[in-house]
Amino acid sequence: MTTDTAAPLVNLLGFITGLVLYAMLLWMALTSGRELNRLILLTGFLGFAWNAGALAAYGLTNLGIAWSTPLLLAGAFGALCFLPSAVVHSALAASEKVSRRENLAIWIPAYAMSSIAAAMHVYAALTSGEVPSQFALRGVTVGFAVLIFALLIVTRGQENRGRILWVVAMSVFAVSALHLSEHQGSDPWWMQLAGHHASLPLALLILYQDFRFALADIFLKRALAFILLAGLTFGVFAFGMSPLLQSTPMNEQSTALMLAMWVATALTYPSLRRGAAWFVDKVVLKRVDYAEVVVKLSRDIDKCASPRSVLEETARILAPAVSASSIEWLESTTAGGDLRVEPDRRSARVAIPTGYPHYVLHIRDLTGGRRLLSDDLALLERAALIVARRIDAVRSMQERYRHELQEQEMRKLAAEAELRALRAQINPHFLFNALTTIGYLIQSAPERALGTLLKLSGLLRGLLKSSGEFVTLGEELDIIEAYLDIERERFEDRLRVRIEVPVELRRIRIPALVIQPLVENAIKHGISESRAGGEVRLSAHLDENMAVITVADTGAGMAVVQDRGRSRGMGLSNVEERLRRYGASKPLTIESVAGTGTTVVIRVPLQPADALAQSASVRSR
Amino acid sequence: MNADKLRVAIADDERPARSFLASILRTFEDVEIVGEAANGMDAVALIESARPDLALLDLQMPEVDGLGVIRLLKTNRMPLVAFVTAYDEYAVPAFEVNAVDYVLKPVEAARLRKTIDRARERLGREDYRAEETQNLRAAASEYESAGGRSPLLRIPVRRRDEIILVSVQNLVSIIADGELLHLHTTNNEAHTISYRLRDLESRLDPARFVRLGRGALVNVEMIRRILPMPGGTFNVVLNNDQELRVSRLQSRLLREQLLRL
């Protein structure tokens, strides 16, 4: 193999590629489903005919198979001469502003020229056997060069990007025809490539414009990989092997070398193919990487906190990925129906398989001549699944959150209701007795009556105050002192009171109304049940991070102290329960001896801020 | 002493309340206050000695409360009674049902006037004492079964003209005998009160006193031995060597409650 053989190799590959491309174009034109595009069909047919004929005439000769006849060659060249006409016609059909007269003025001469050239080729074949007819080719070159200008003038000012491509395609044809008319066989390989295979860009152009994704899916990736491989092989042989083999005659080493080269070439094929696929997706189709889309999608919707934002984010990500002009989402009452593609494959409905309410993504109007193909559908299905999973997760998260919120709210309400109930639990017995006392005092000591009345109203205000769950010990003591003052007016010298709470402890915060019920109990069961009365003593001290508060009376005492149940009375069990909720494990102890009195001790956990302040004051001491 | 005046006794352990009540009564010209008592026991003595037409009894008093006073009063000394209470959700319905008069604190002159008038009217009837006794007992019974009174710590017992208080801790057994109850104590004393066993039981700590049958209530702490009897019942021997039969039904309950680890 020498450099001389490079040109036939290029020809062979080129014609085969052309044959495949035009076969594909034909097939696409026939099966596209819509009304038959005759121009594409014609182009496909002409291109196929030229490549088949040329392959038979030029490509196979070099392989030693020579069965071309002048007539066959004439047919091939005839087809080639018609191709520019088809191109011109297509260009005119694609442009929008061309008037009917301009249209006719261009394409009639084009077809006429092509017909004449084809006829001349056939005539040459029949008469001299000298095909192609040089004259015909030159004529076609000149004629179409003129037509390019005409076309440029007619389609001027148009935004159509394809216009330039058409012109380029035409120019290539012109060069091609010129080349074919000049030469016979001995040109360098690159000249052969440009000249003989001018039809390839045309096929690619049409496929790219009208069947871009099909082209990419079915052909381009493989073809490109193949062309790259062929190019590589060709390069290796033309610039590496040929000089090597020329300098050294054939022997085992060169055979081994050649074999190694072949193997290496075969091994590079997978990476070539991957590269080709990447190139086609990124550069030709500008298609995004679906794996990346899926990763991005799942990453981005992971941050969304509502089904709505999930769907919006999905639409935002998917729309460019499938080149849709819009993706809308809406709620759907019916479940299922997963994926429905419209017959034109330009829009689709994707059901999100989630719980009620269901959602549907409407993918509308794919741009760039794009159709939804199998991998698009796979992407959409996968995306739908991911989105559904996320929406379900978001929903259950929201549900859980709502639940928690509700529970919290309910707990808060319960605590509030309890406190309210506790506050409303102003012992009516106490109230009416206090009023009776005031009634008495009005007659006997009006000034003390007024004082007691004011204390009673202060006490009621304190009990009914709707501020928070916590009060300072000082505030609680104020209530208790008012309460005891009133009771002292009632029981007179039967009730004696001693309150021993260090001033610094009056600042600590305790749950509201945990001491007052104890004092009330001491009066009710201790003092009022005893003829002689007794003393109520209230003291408090700190024990680590607990405030220990003692309410003791020297009254009647209780004969029976049960750990649980009625004998403790409503007030105490409520106090105990509330303290337990604030973290005291054994918050309340009672000691009672009949005849000598009752002692109740509660342990109130310090609030964090208080505990800190206390420990600080201890350290500073 | 004016025969036309209604003779009234007052009992309240709280002096201000008592004085307040007395001050209103003093504004009524047809009322004479025959005495004031500061507790239930004094009230019984006062009523039996001064023999008022109407007793205004505070419902809540230490040791012997208003209802305790009427329990202790001899039937032929029973005056008309109006209870005075600040607030009692159980007492008021019981009084209303049984036609027992009551006045709420703080006492209102007009309301008290009605009580006086009502008492005057009833005094005209021949059998007012018997009727009043019956009404009061029914009201007290109803009130106690409603659970309105606090657990009893001491049981007041009349002995001739004095009243002694028997601590429930010292009670061994309570045996019913017709209308009467015999109380047996740890120091081998026996007292008799006029009370229904069912009413007394409802005012005692159920963890401490258990029924042995229709007519016996014993202090659990005082049971020395339990003897199985033929037929599956038990006999109980108490600390004071009293031996009591346990009914079939209570034997079963006893077995479940006391004889099981």
mmCIF file of all heavy atoms in Angstrom, chain A residues 505 508 541-548 603-607 610-618:
data_model
loop_
_atom_site.group_PDB
_atom_site.id
_atom_site.type_symbol
_atom_site.label_atom_id
_atom_site.label_comp_id
_atom_site.label_asym_id
_atom_site.label_seq_id
_atom_site.Cartn_x
_atom_site.Cartn_y
_atom_site.Cartn_z
ATOM 1 N N LEU A 505 -33.551 34.186 96.707
ATOM 2 C CA LEU A 505 -34.339 33.138 96.059
ATOM 3 C C LEU A 505 -35.627 33.682 95.439
ATOM 4 O O LEU A 505 -36.271 33.001 94.644
ATOM 5 C CB LEU A 505 -34.692 32.030 97.055
ATOM 6 C CG LEU A 505 -33.569 31.057 97.399
ATOM 7 C CD1 LEU A 505 -34.130 29.859 98.140
ATOM 8 C CD2 LEU A 505 -32.852 30.589 96.145
ATOM 9 N N ILE A 508 -35.796 33.568 91.503
ATOM 10 C CA ILE A 508 -35.833 32.374 90.646
ATOM 11 C C ILE A 508 -37.238 32.174 90.085
ATOM 12 O O ILE A 508 -38.226 32.585 90.676
ATOM 13 C CB ILE A 508 -35.370 31.096 91.391
ATOM 14 C CG1 ILE A 508 -36.341 30.763 92.521
ATOM 15 C CG2 ILE A 508 -33.971 31.240 91.900
ATOM 16 C CD1 ILE A 508 -36.137 29.364 93.056
ATOM 17 N N HIS A 541 -35.115 26.677 100.155
ATOM 18 C CA HIS A 541 -33.653 26.718 100.025
ATOM 19 C C HIS A 541 -33.262 26.007 98.742
ATOM 20 O O HIS A 541 -34.090 25.362 98.085
ATOM 21 C CB HIS A 541 -32.981 26.085 101.250
ATOM 22 C CG HIS A 541 -33.181 24.597 101.342
ATOM 23 N ND1 HIS A 541 -34.276 24.048 101.974
ATOM 24 C CD2 HIS A 541 -32.452 23.559 100.873
ATOM 25 C CE1 HIS A 541 -34.207 22.720 101.900
ATOM 26 N NE2 HIS A 541 -33.108 22.397 101.228
ATOM 27 N N LEU A 542 -31.990 26.161 98.395
ATOM 28 C CA LEU A 542 -31.518 25.540 97.162
ATOM 29 C C LEU A 542 -30.820 24.236 97.485
ATOM 30 O O LEU A 542 -30.118 24.127 98.478
ATOM 31 C CB LEU A 542 -30.524 26.458 96.451
ATOM 32 C CG LEU A 542 -31.097 27.621 95.648
ATOM 33 C CD1 LEU A 542 -29.970 28.351 94.958
ATOM 34 C CD2 LEU A 542 -32.102 27.123 94.626
ATOM 35 N N ASP A 543 -31.027 23.263 96.610
ATOM 36 C CA ASP A 543 -30.305 22.007 96.745
ATOM 37 C C ASP A 543 -29.829 21.658 95.346
ATOM 38 O O ASP A 543 -30.604 21.212 94.515
ATOM 39 C CB ASP A 543 -31.237 20.931 97.319
ATOM 40 C CG ASP A 543 -30.520 19.603 97.447
ATOM 41 O OD1 ASP A 543 -29.273 19.600 97.358
ATOM 42 O OD2 ASP A 543 -31.203 18.584 97.629
ATOM 43 N N GLU A 544 -28.553 21.908 95.103
ATOM 44 C CA GLU A 544 -27.991 21.773 93.753
ATOM 45 C C GLU A 544 -28.823 22.585 92.783
ATOM 46 O O GLU A 544 -28.988 23.781 92.981
ATOM 47 C CB GLU A 544 -27.889 20.295 93.372
ATOM 48 C CG GLU A 544 -26.838 19.611 94.229
ATOM 49 C CD GLU A 544 -26.605 18.170 93.813
ATOM 50 O OE1 GLU A 544 -27.262 17.698 92.868
ATOM 51 O OE2 GLU A 544 -25.757 17.534 94.440
ATOM 52 N N ASN A 545 -29.403 21.948 91.754
ATOM 53 C CA ASN A 545 -30.159 22.774 90.816
ATOM 54 C C ASN A 545 -31.667 22.633 91.040
ATOM 55 O O ASN A 545 -32.450 22.658 90.118
ATOM 56 C CB ASN A 545 -29.789 22.436 89.366
ATOM 57 C CG ASN A 545 -29.895 20.954 89.118
ATOM 58 O OD1 ASN A 545 -30.094 20.196 90.068
ATOM 59 N ND2 ASN A 545 -29.795 20.554 87.873
ATOM 60 N N MET A 546 -32.016 22.464 92.289
ATOM 61 C CA MET A 546 -33.425 22.379 92.659
ATOM 62 C C MET A 546 -33.726 23.427 93.724
ATOM 63 O O MET A 546 -32.901 23.671 94.609
ATOM 64 C CB MET A 546 -33.736 21.002 93.275
ATOM 65 C CG MET A 546 -33.599 19.855 92.310
ATOM 66 S SD MET A 546 -35.150 19.609 91.455
ATOM 67 C CE MET A 546 -34.793 18.102 90.611
ATOM 68 N N ALA A 547 -34.922 23.992 93.595
ATOM 69 C CA ALA A 547 -35.405 24.824 94.691
ATOM 70 C C ALA A 547 -36.284 23.929 95.546
ATOM 71 O O ALA A 547 -37.216 23.310 95.034
ATOM 72 C CB ALA A 547 -36.195 25.992 94.157
ATOM 73 N N VAL A 548 -35.935 23.824 96.815
ATOM 74 C CA VAL A 548 -36.718 22.975 97.720
ATOM 75 C C VAL A 548 -37.607 23.889 98.551
ATOM 76 O O VAL A 548 -37.126 24.765 99.267
ATOM 77 C CB VAL A 548 -35.797 22.152 98.635
ATOM 78 C CG1 VAL A 548 -36.631 21.254 99.536
ATOM 79 C CG2 VAL A 548 -34.837 21.334 97.787
ATOM 80 N N ARG A 603 -39.896 19.895 95.148
ATOM 81 C CA ARG A 603 -38.573 20.181 94.567
ATOM 82 C C ARG A 603 -38.809 20.679 93.153
ATOM 83 O O ARG A 603 -39.299 19.950 92.295
ATOM 84 C CB ARG A 603 -37.719 18.920 94.564
ATOM 85 C CG ARG A 603 -37.502 18.365 95.974
ATOM 86 C CD ARG A 603 -36.862 16.994 95.938
ATOM 87 N NE ARG A 603 -35.490 17.044 95.435
ATOM 88 C CZ ARG A 603 -34.447 17.381 96.189
ATOM 89 N NH1 ARG A 603 -34.626 17.705 97.449
ATOM 90 N NH2 ARG A 603 -33.246 17.402 95.682
ATOM 91 N N VAL A 604 -38.464 21.936 92.922
ATOM 92 C CA VAL A 604 -38.709 22.567 91.620
ATOM 93 C C VAL A 604 -37.379 22.718 90.886
ATOM 94 O O VAL A 604 -36.476 23.365 91.394
ATOM 95 C CB VAL A 604 -39.349 23.959 91.793
ATOM 96 C CG1 VAL A 604 -39.747 24.539 90.448
ATOM 97 C CG2 VAL A 604 -40.539 23.877 92.732
ATOM 98 N N PRO A 605 -37.252 22.088 89.706
ATOM 99 C CA PRO A 605 -36.000 22.241 88.948
ATOM 100 C C PRO A 605 -35.792 23.712 88.587
ATOM 101 O O PRO A 605 -36.731 24.384 88.165
ATOM 102 C CB PRO A 605 -36.238 21.411 87.684
ATOM 103 C CG PRO A 605 -37.409 20.558 87.984
ATOM 104 C CD PRO A 605 -38.228 21.280 88.993
ATOM 105 N N LEU A 606 -34.571 24.182 88.754
ATOM 106 C CA LEU A 606 -34.281 25.572 88.385
ATOM 107 C C LEU A 606 -34.303 25.714 86.878
ATOM 108 O O LEU A 606 -33.871 24.818 86.154
ATOM 109 C CB LEU A 606 -32.900 25.975 88.902
ATOM 110 C CG LEU A 606 -32.772 26.201 90.408
ATOM 111 C CD1 LEU A 606 -31.391 26.768 90.703
ATOM 112 C CD2 LEU A 606 -33.846 27.145 90.915
ATOM 113 N N GLN A 607 -34.786 26.842 86.419
ATOM 114 C CA GLN A 607 -34.705 27.143 84.995
ATOM 115 C C GLN A 607 -33.240 27.410 84.664
ATOM 116 O O GLN A 607 -32.500 27.926 85.508
ATOM 117 C CB GLN A 607 -35.559 28.373 84.669
ATOM 118 C CG GLN A 607 -37.027 28.128 84.882
ATOM 119 C CD GLN A 607 -37.526 26.940 84.066
ATOM 120 O OE1 GLN A 607 -37.510 26.977 82.849
ATOM 121 N NE2 GLN A 607 -37.931 25.881 84.730
ATOM 122 N N ASP A 610 -31.671 30.623 85.686
ATOM 123 C CA ASP A 610 -31.588 30.762 87.133
ATOM 124 C C ASP A 610 -30.446 29.931 87.690
ATOM 125 O O ASP A 610 -29.702 30.367 88.558
ATOM 126 C CB ASP A 610 -32.900 30.322 87.783
ATOM 127 C CG ASP A 610 -34.029 31.283 87.459
ATOM 128 O OD1 ASP A 610 -33.719 32.455 87.203
ATOM 129 O OD2 ASP A 610 -35.186 30.847 87.454
ATOM 130 N N ALA A 611 -30.341 28.709 87.159
ATOM 131 C CA ALA A 611 -29.295 27.816 87.640
ATOM 132 C C ALA A 611 -27.934 28.461 87.414
ATOM 133 O O ALA A 611 -27.062 28.433 88.285
ATOM 134 C CB ALA A 611 -29.379 26.474 86.916
ATOM 135 N N LEU A 612 -27.785 29.094 86.233
ATOM 136 C CA LEU A 612 -26.532 29.756 85.898
ATOM 137 C C LEU A 612 -26.259 30.897 86.872
ATOM 138 O O LEU A 612 -25.180 31.011 87.437
ATOM 139 C CB LEU A 612 -26.640 30.300 84.469
ATOM 140 C CG LEU A 612 -25.396 30.143 83.601
ATOM 141 C CD1 LEU A 612 -25.184 28.664 83.314
ATOM 142 C CD2 LEU A 612 -25.562 30.929 82.331
ATOM 143 N N ALA A 613 -27.298 31.714 87.072
ATOM 144 C CA ALA A 613 -27.145 32.868 87.951
ATOM 145 C C ALA A 613 -26.789 32.404 89.361
ATOM 146 O O ALA A 613 -25.926 32.973 90.024
ATOM 147 C CB ALA A 613 -28.430 33.685 87.970
ATOM 148 N N GLN A 614 -27.449 31.320 89.781
ATOM 149 C CA GLN A 614 -27.205 30.833 91.137
ATOM 150 C C GLN A 614 -25.778 30.343 91.286
ATOM 151 O O GLN A 614 -25.099 30.668 92.256
ATOM 152 C CB GLN A 614 -28.191 29.717 91.486
ATOM 153 C CG GLN A 614 -29.600 30.211 91.724
ATOM 154 C CD GLN A 614 -29.677 31.229 92.845
ATOM 155 O OE1 GLN A 614 -28.900 31.189 93.775
ATOM 156 N NE2 GLN A 614 -30.624 32.150 92.744
ATOM 157 N N SER A 615 -25.334 29.545 90.306
ATOM 158 C CA SER A 615 -23.989 28.991 90.428
ATOM 159 C C SER A 615 -22.970 30.129 90.371
ATOM 160 O O SER A 615 -21.955 30.093 91.049
ATOM 161 C CB SER A 615 -23.734 27.954 89.333
ATOM 162 O OG SER A 615 -23.717 28.591 88.092
ATOM 163 N N ALA A 616 -23.271 31.180 89.594
ATOM 164 C CA ALA A 616 -22.369 32.321 89.515
ATOM 165 C C ALA A 616 -22.293 33.005 90.878
ATOM 166 O O ALA A 616 -21.210 33.347 91.361
ATOM 167 C CB ALA A 616 -22.852 33.302 88.463
ATOM 168 N N SER A 617 -23.444 33.159 91.511
ATOM 169 C CA SER A 617 -23.446 33.852 92.796
ATOM 170 C C SER A 617 -22.759 33.003 93.856
ATOM 171 O O SER A 617 -22.117 33.524 94.766
ATOM 172 C CB SER A 617 -24.872 34.194 93.226
ATOM 173 O OG SER A 617 -25.531 33.025 93.634
ATOM 174 N N VAL A 618 -22.851 31.685 93.715
ATOM 175 C CA VAL A 618 -22.159 30.814 94.656
ATOM 176 C C VAL A 618 -20.661 30.980 94.502
ATOM 177 O O VAL A 618 -19.914 31.127 95.473
ATOM 178 C CB VAL A 618 -22.559 29.336 94.439
ATOM 179 C CG1 VAL A 618 -21.593 28.414 95.166
ATOM 180 C CG2 VAL A 618 -23.973 29.114 94.931
#
